[in-house]
Amino acid sequence: MPWQNNGNGNGDKKNPWGSGGPKRGGGSNGGGGEPPHIDDIIKKGQEQLQQFLPGGGKGIALIVLVAIIGWIGSGVYRVEPNEQGVVLRFGERTELTTPGLHWHMPYPVETVEVRGVTDEKTISIGSRQTVSRRSGRVSVASLDESLMLTQDENIVDVRFNVVWRIKDLGDYLFRLQDPDGTIKSVAESVMREHVGKNRITPIITTGRGGLEEQSLIDIQRTLDAYGAGITILRVQIIESEAPAEVKDAFLDVQRAEADQQKSRNVAAKYANEEIPKAEGQAAVLLQGAEAYRAQTVNRAEGEAARFLSVYNEYAKAKDVTRKRIYLETMEEILAGMDKIILDSNAGSGVVPYLPLNELGKKKSAGN
């Protein structure tokens, strides 16, 4: 449809293309000329395009072909060894891709989300990072997260980090609306549960390792139940202590308990030294008593056997046995004594005794 001149035909008003153009049938460039048809404009543009593209319609087809090839090639993507990729078709997850070179249908049909899955990430519970102009990043306590109630109804300030990484990128992106917030909430809840099952002393002294292990297991179990696609690597307790308001008093209690434990250790050491010693002495006494008992019993049994043998001989020849027993007894009695023999029948001119002891001394001196 040609443009119409809405003026009065005297050529004073310009048409939309500038000054008045030539009429379709030719003629001068005078005012009031009719503007060109849109078909003429398109035809003129095609003629100009053909000047730049030799071959006419084939050149246009070549441009279209190159554009199609480029569009198809835009679907090529690479997944690095530390990454996973998720292909989305109109926003819906369709495929989980592993490291390597892959292709997906170009945008807007499909898109791909590639994330690192071996990178370790850390979430802090009980503290938050703030930026200071003088000292850079500073950790500031978040008491609404760190203050927890123990089994013995004490309040403890626990600050810890949870180190994690992505296990399944598809689950990580589509199962949780806020993965970081979910991990933080689950970790805080689990830690509060385990702190509530323990007394304050092991929590701030020797029980940290066990608390970290138990918390890691339960956090992982909860996230697996959510299908979060996350692996918990470590739970690290940064600080566990009494609140600042009662910290000094609690330290005094700790020192008293330490002194008590020290005294118990000293007493246990003394007991460990003295009890074995006493047990050894008792064993020696028991062994001595057993030896004495065996010796006495054996002696008694021997004397009884000897008495029985003597009695048997005595029963066979009473006079002979009686005299032999008498002589043996006198021999035992007089063996270590000085002996003098007196003869009551000796005459008056003879010395009435025989000094055997003096004779024995002279004999020994002569030798």
Side-chain angles (χ1 to χ4, degrees):
M1 179 179 68
W3 288 90
Q4 301 296 329
N5 190 351
N6 294 328
N8 53 11
N10 56 9
D12 294 336
K13 182 179 288 188
K14 295 181 179 180
N15 60 41
W17 315 110
S19 60
K23 295 181 181 180
R24 295 188 64 182
S28 64
N29 294 333
E34 184 179 355
H37 287 106
I38 189 69
D39 297 337
D40 296 336
I41 298 175
I42 295 174
K43 184 177 181 181
K44 185 177 180 180
Q46 290 176 348
E47 293 175 352
Q48 293 177 351
L49 183 61
Q50 288 177 359
Q51 294 178 0
F52 294 100
L53 295 175
K58 293 182 179 180
I60 297 175
L62 180 61
I63 292 178
V64 173
L65 180 60
V66 171
I68 293 174
I69 293 174
W71 181 70
I72 294 174
S74 65
V76 178
Y77 67 98
R78 178 185 295 274
V79 179
E80 299 297 334
N82 64 330
E83 297 176 334
Q84 285 184 358
V86 176
V87 178
L88 309 178
R89 182 173 297 163
F90 299 112
E92 181 182 1
R93 178 178 59 173
T94 60
E95 183 183 0
L96 180 67
T97 55
T98 55
L101 194 64
H102 303 274
W103 181 84
H104 66 86
M105 296 182 66
Y107 180 86
V109 179
E110 289 183 348
T111 58
V112 64
E113 187 79 25
V114 178
R115 298 280 185 90
V117 295
T118 61
D119 302 333
E120 294 186 0
K121 302 179 181 180
T122 302
I123 293 179
S124 298
I125 294 94
S127 61
R128 60 178 181 271
Q129 298 288 336
T130 60
V131 179
S132 174
R133 293 182 179 178
R134 295 183 178 179
S135 58
R137 290 189 173 274
V138 179
S139 178
V140 179
S142 180
L143 297 180
D144 57 337
E145 298 176 356
S146 62
L147 295 182
M148 302 181 185
L149 187 65
T150 63
Q151 184 184 35
D152 50 356
E153 298 181 356
N154 284 306
I155 295 177
V156 63
D157 188 356
V158 180
R159 307 173 195 177
F160 64 101
N161 292 336
V162 177
V163 182
W164 60 279
R165 69 184 175 198
I166 299 173
K167 177 173 63 176
D168 187 294
L169 183 59
D171 291 340
Y172 174 78
L173 293 175
F174 291 94
R175 291 294 184 92
L176 300 178
Q177 183 177 5
D178 181 12
D180 290 356
T182 302
I183 296 172
K184 187 171 185 178
S185 299
V186 171
E188 182 180 351
S189 176
V190 169
M191 183 62 72
R192 287 185 183 277
E193 178 183 357
H194 287 293
V195 167
K197 294 179 180 179
N198 291 273
R199 299 175 64 85
I200 188 172
T201 302
I203 293 175
I204 65 177
T205 53
T206 60
R208 289 188 179 185
L211 193 61
E212 291 172 345
E213 293 178 3
Q214 295 170 1
S215 299
L216 186 149
I217 293 172
D218 288 345
I219 293 171
Q220 185 66 67
R221 183 185 296 117
T222 303
L223 292 175
D224 288 344
Y226 293 165
I230 291 170
T231 298
I232 303 299
L233 302 177
R234 294 182 299 278
V235 175
Q236 301 171 329
I237 295 180
I238 307 302
E239 275 187 52
S240 58
E241 59 185 9
E245 294 80 3
V246 296
K247 186 174 182 179
D248 293 338
F250 188 80
L251 291 177
D252 292 338
V253 174
Q254 276 192 303
R255 283 190 286 268
E257 291 180 348
D259 293 340
Q260 180 187 34
Q261 187 63 38
K262 182 180 179 181
S263 300
R264 288 180 177 176
N265 293 338
V266 171
K269 180 181 178 182
Y270 178 77
N272 292 334
E273 292 175 353
E274 294 298 323
I275 290 176
K277 188 186 299 183
E279 290 176 348
Q281 294 175 353
V284 170
L285 292 176
L286 288 175
Q287 291 176 357
E290 289 292 334
Y292 177 76
R293 182 184 69 85
Q295 181 181 2
T296 304
V297 170
N298 292 335
R299 184 185 299 116
E301 290 177 349
E303 292 178 353
R306 178 175 174 275
F307 177 80
L308 290 174
S309 65
V310 171
Y311 176 75
N312 292 331
E313 294 297 327
Y314 174 77
K316 294 178 181 178
K318 294 183 179 181
D319 293 338
V320 176
T321 304
R322 186 184 298 114
K323 188 174 182 178
R324 182 173 64 82
I325 292 174
Y326 172 75
L327 293 176
E328 290 177 353
T329 304
M330 293 305 295
E331 182 181 3
E332 290 180 2
I333 294 173
L334 299 176
M337 301 175 64
D338 293 337
K339 294 173 283 296
I340 298 174
I341 299 176
L342 297 176
D343 187 3
S344 59
N345 297 323
S348 59
V350 180
V351 179
Y353 73 94
L354 182 61
L356 297 178
N357 56 338
E358 295 296 334
L359 294 176
K361 291 179 181 179
K362 290 180 180 180
K363 185 177 180 180
S364 60
N367 294 333

